[in-house]
Amino acid sequence: QVQLVESGGGLVQAGGSLRLSCAASRRINFMSWYRQAPEKQRELVATITSGGSTNYADSVKGRFTISRDNAKNTVYLQMNTLKPEDTAVYYCNANWGDGTRTFYAWGQGTLVTVSS
């Protein structure tokens, strides 16, 4: 099992920046950030492998950067030029397998509110 603890959410004005952190209890190769806005489905924001390969949702490309510190088992999401539509609860996700099964773990979520 893996425990994930997120931090860094808060209230920011449009155009501002925030950095989210996700500390994992052990190293996981494939880590992601998701978000869920009120009355909307959870959506994938960004992913990163332990080698540093990244992918982003089109809506955040050029504004958000996912990174990781493998020595600290921590993943970050730097969010710049924030927009009101970025308002959501942001969740950290870990994804790993044993060759037969796939496992998932979720953090508790951290609220990001962007005011206009």
Side-chain angles (χ1 to χ4, degrees):
Q1 190 55 277
V2 175
Q3 286 74 49
L4 304 173
V5 179
E6 299 133 341
S7 60
L11 174 65
V12 63
Q13 288 188 332
S17 299
L18 281 175
R19 189 176 83 154
L20 306 183
S21 299
C22 172
S25 56
R26 63 179 177 88
R27 182 168 168 173
I28 299 293
N29 178 48
F30 197 81
M31 300 288 292
S32 304
W33 285 99
Y34 285 75
R35 67 185 180 186
Q36 187 166 17
E39 301 182 356
K40 291 189 177 181
Q41 290 189 336
R42 192 172 296 191
E43 63 175 357
L44 179 63
V45 175
T47 64
I48 188 167
T49 67
S50 58
S53 296
T54 59
N55 277 292
Y56 298 92
D58 288 343
S59 59
V60 306
K61 281 182 181 176
R63 299 189 298 121
F64 290 12
T65 302
I66 189 171
S67 62
R68 65 191 296 163
D69 184 336
N70 289 329
K72 296 181 179 179
N73 295 335
T74 300
V75 176
Y76 305 97
L77 186 67
Q78 178 66 43
M79 305 184 293
N80 298 329
T81 319
L82 282 161
K83 304 175 181 179
E85 51 263 45
D86 294 318
T87 294
V89 177
Y90 284 71
Y91 296 92
C92 181
N93 171 270
N95 180 337
W96 71 99
D98 63 2
T100 301
R101 299 167 294 177
T102 300
F103 302 93
Y104 299 92
W106 293 94
Q108 80 283 3
T110 185
L111 178 62
V112 172
T113 304
V114 184
S115 63
S116 57

